[in-house]
Amino acid sequence: MIDVKLLRKNPEIFYDALKKRNMEIEIIDKILDVDKEWRQLVAKVNELKAKRNEFSKLVAKAKAEKDNEKASKLIEESKKIGEEIKKIEEQEKKLEEEMQNLALNIPNIPAEDVPFGKDESENVEIRRWGEPRKFDFEPKAHWDLGPELSMMDFERGAKLSGSRFTVLYSYLARLERALIQFMLDVHTKEHGYTEVWVPQLVKREAMLWTGKLPKFEEDAYRIEKDDMFLIPTAEVPLVALHAQEILSEKDLPIKYTAYSACYRREAGSYGKDVRGMIRQHQFDKVELVWITTPERSFEDLERLTQDAERILQLLELPYRVVSLCSGDLGFVSAKTYDIEVWLPSYNSYKEISSCSNTTDFQTRRSNIRYRGSDNKLHYAHALNGSGLAVGRTLVAIVENYQNEDGSITVPKVLVPYMGVEKIEVK
């Protein structure tokens, strides 16, 4: 949620933000018009309330002087003022709701160091780690390797649930589970996160608090009868855990990690990455969330990103980190780093994690504040990132660790979790 007071004081900030995001700016003018009308009504109500208070004093005085006729007339006038106040307050409430609904559709303000650009083609590479493997045979895509091992089944996934669902068997099913356990172990034991088990169905409020609604309702799976939503990411319940709470500065940063299945309709993404497991309607993810202070949130974003990178380094998978440009920045994000893993099937890097600082955008919506050392209340900052997307990590292992005979070597760090060093047809 944007700061309406800041919008009122410095609308240029928001005009500039929307231009950087290649969005229309008329909505800012609309909010300012509604806000002006609302403030005029507020002033009118305050004026009428002051007038009613004066009438109350005059009524008391008339009664003290036993002038009942005058008191009755004054009471009648006071009632008329009360009715007028009620009428104006109803208009005021409608305008406030209109302003709120408009404000919910304004994205976060990009950080100053976010590169300017129109779309993903203008994202800026920050660094690379590892070198893509040079195969001495023609490598296969995971959508061929998995079925040849009889461990990845797209046809039965479609039979059960439709397109973009997959069934895993045997050692690939175990690899999915091993990756979840491995990621959680690294983040809790090495990076100091608290593991959380969260509901995968949440109320509408939780989606609204975290900026998934109203803009992305079309992309969400909704249980209509209960007006509840299957989570698109564990970021939603993890951030919403502290909604409407006042935290203590000494307890910050709070660092949470959680495994969950994630559910996305992927509305509007038809034709993108339709083969294999890259873009699924249901997928597993280990999420990282920080609740921190404004003073350190961008520094903490660097740490969170490094925590996600560490998983790929331990798995010895080559990747790169890119800073998203203003035109590719997510709705709630002020700054985002995408971590992209190398996939031989695409002969390029594909996103495996997005690490974002949402500043006070989500915390304003969810009213997450902390009491600072100055004894004043401040909005916290919320950060999130994938640590990592499990299915895409499995795909990266299958493709990068494949052997000419169709088997897959298990990364060294996963051998204790898998119990085997190689995945092959028995």
Side-chain angles (χ1 to χ4, degrees), residues 44-54 81 85 89:
K44 182 65 175 174
V45 166
N46 289 338
E47 183 184 317
L48 288 170
K49 284 181 177 178
K51 190 175 179 180
R52 186 173 60 181
N53 288 339
E54 286 300 316
I81 293 171
I85 288 172
E89 282 182 334

Side-chain angles (χ1 to χ4, degrees), residues 319-344:
Y319 68 88
R320 69 173 187 165
V321 178
V322 299
S323 181
L324 298 196
C325 72
S326 57
D328 196 32
L329 204 59
F331 181 78
V332 304
S333 178
K335 183 176 183 177
T336 295
Y337 292 120
D338 268 7
I339 305 173
E340 300 177 347
V341 69
W342 177 261
L343 292 183

Side-chain angles (χ1 to χ4, degrees), residues 4 34 55 66 82 105 133 167 197 229 247 251 254 279 289 291 300 338 399:
V4 177
V34 174
F55 269 88
K66 301 189 184 306
N105 288 284
R133 178 181 168 188
V167 176
W197 182 263
F229 294 83
L247 308 172
D251 296 327
I254 295 171
R279 194 177 293 271
V289 162
I291 306 296
D300 287 342
D338 268 7
E399 293 195 0

Side-chain angles (χ1 to χ4, degrees), residues 136-192:
D136 54 9
F137 61 91
E138 187 65 32
K140 294 180 179 179
H142 70 279
W143 54 77
D144 292 322
L145 274 167
E148 287 173 10
L149 286 165
S150 298
M151 297 179 192
M152 188 179 290
D153 195 332
F154 301 109
E155 291 181 3
R156 287 192 175 93
K159 180 171 71 174
L160 293 173
S161 305
S163 62
R164 300 195 187 186
F165 289 91
T166 306
V167 176
L168 298 177
Y169 300 94
S170 188
Y171 285 105
L172 286 189
R174 186 185 295 188
L175 178 58
E176 182 89 358
R177 176 163 53 91
L179 282 167
I180 294 166
Q181 185 68 57
F182 166 68
M183 292 176 191
L184 289 172
D185 283 349
V186 171
H187 293 314
T188 55
K189 295 176 182 178
E190 295 186 19
H191 299 153

